[in-house]
Amino acid sequence: MTQRKAPERAIGHLTAVWLVGCALTHVQSQAVLIALFTDGSELFGVIVGGGMVVGAVALLAWLGSAVRTLVPLLRRARGRWAWAAGVYTLGTLGAFGAAVVRFEIDHLENGLLLYPAGGTCYALAAALFLPSFRVRMGALGAATALTVGGMYAAWAAGQPPTLDEWITANGVDRTLLRVGDPPPGYALNVMGASEDGFGADYEGPDSARVHLHVAPAGHDTRRVDARGCPVPFGDPIRCTDDGGGRQLVTFAGGYEHQELRLRRGTLVYTVTVEGSRTDLSAARHVLSTLRPATDTELAGLLELPMRR
């Protein structure tokens, strides 16, 4: 009867250790966060940390006393404390490793996943003390697999993203990623992209600059008149037909600039130049040569933050 119940008792024992491990991981992780973001006495931190360790080991020793007949080491009081210290040390090391991996992957944005992972580390540590050779080897194999998998996950998370990964993570619609060929003497510099639009600068001679912005039609919520010209709010705005489907919008006042707008399909292309009497040949060249941007031209996006 005892032999038949031994597997059930072992499972119950490991489940209890897992639950305690989840709780310890939660308490200890919160204590570390408080210590990191609180200016306090180092001596006080050492006292609190030491008390937490002693309390955790005592809790595990009490838990181990319930299965003295299952684990030979627990049959003596000294062995019970040795078992508790061993489980706590190995489990805490595993939980710390899990926290490092989670931080590398998502900076602990989803911290709830850390607690069951920490509990699993404590349960595997307890399994190493069970008398069954196969159980110990299984626990050792599982611990090794988790260690290798965690190291690989942390390494993979630290690798720079590919362009497709960056675009997907930031919710960018690839149809927005369009540019015109740089005018003679100008260099293209991609500025950024989001789900709302895409922007690129063309740096020219003598600090001349034109800026291209691509957005879905209807994204601009400013009031417009029947011709689609922005309604002035303070400084005057003048709109004229520039030919080729383009609209020239001239903004006067404190910040004088011009915009050449072209609607094509579901996208609106806006090229902005500074000044109200600037040569628009470069802006017209950009709008007349629109095409999908190449991966090489979009490489600058990888230097921008990526959502996780």
Side-chain angles (χ1 to χ4, degrees):
M1 180 68 69
T2 302
Q3 291 180 348
R4 286 199 299 268
K5 289 184 177 180
E8 299 176 4
R9 294 186 63 199
I11 294 173
H13 166 61
L14 295 180
T15 301
V17 173
W18 179 80
L19 291 172
V20 170
C22 292
L24 289 177
T25 303
H26 172 69
V27 172
Q28 292 178 137
S29 62
Q30 295 303 310
V32 170
L33 290 176
I34 292 174
L36 289 175
F37 296 102
T38 301
D39 293 330
S41 170
E42 293 184 1
L43 179 60
F44 177 77
V46 171
I47 294 175
V48 172
M52 187 179 300
V53 172
V54 172
V57 172
L59 177 61
L60 287 170
W62 172 81
L63 186 66
S65 64
V67 286
R68 289 190 299 269
T69 59
L70 184 65
V71 181
L73 184 61
L74 296 174
R75 293 169 186 170
R76 294 178 299 174
R78 184 177 300 177
R80 189 159 62 248
W81 288 101
W83 175 87
V87 171
Y88 176 78
T89 301
L90 295 175
T92 301
L93 288 175
F96 175 77
V100 171
V101 171
R102 291 300 311 177
F103 183 82
E104 288 293 330
I105 294 175
D106 62 3
H107 294 276
L108 294 178
E109 292 180 3
N110 191 355
L112 292 178
L113 295 177
L114 174 62
Y115 309 142
T120 300
C121 294
Y122 283 93
L124 288 175
L128 293 174
F129 291 92
L130 291 173
S132 172
F133 177 77
R134 287 190 295 180
V135 171
R136 291 200 302 271
M137 289 299 99
L140 184 60
T144 302
L146 289 175
T147 300
V148 173
M151 293 175 62
Y152 176 79
W155 172 82
Q159 300 305 301
T162 64
L163 182 60
D164 286 338
E165 290 172 342
W166 191 97
I167 290 173
T168 300
N170 287 277
V172 177
D173 184 352
R174 261 196 176 272
T175 60
L176 297 174
L177 305 180
R178 301 180 68 85
V179 297
D181 291 337
Y186 283 75
L188 172 64
N189 180 27
V190 170
M191 301 300 294
S194 68
E195 58 272 278
D196 298 323
F198 168 71
D201 275 354
Y202 295 82
E203 304 288 345
D206 301 325
S207 300
R209 182 178 70 91
V210 297
H211 176 75
L212 169 67
H213 182 256
V214 186
H219 177 71
D220 190 346
T221 58
R222 291 180 295 180
R223 291 178 57 200
V224 296
D225 59 21
R227 299 178 303 158
C229 184
V231 176
F233 184 76
D235 295 332
I237 300 175
R238 185 176 72 256
C239 295
T240 57
D241 183 4
D242 193 65
R246 300 182 300 268
Q247 182 186 53
L248 174 60
V249 184
T250 303
F251 296 82
Y255 172 48
E256 294 186 347
H257 64 284
Q258 294 176 291
E259 291 180 356
L260 271 183
R261 297 182 179 180
L262 173 65
R263 176 164 180 169
R264 184 175 294 174
T266 60
L267 300 178
V268 175
Y269 304 86
T270 303
V271 178
T272 304
V273 296
E274 297 180 354
S276 59
R277 295 179 177 83
T278 307
D279 182 13
L280 298 175
S281 58
R284 295 187 180 103
H285 177 85
V286 171
L287 290 179
S288 65
T289 57
L290 291 170
R291 55 173 174 76
T294 66
D295 287 356
T296 301
E297 292 169 331
L298 296 173
L301 294 177
L302 298 178
E303 300 177 5
L304 303 176
M306 186 181 78
R307 297 176 187 170
R308 292 182 175 270

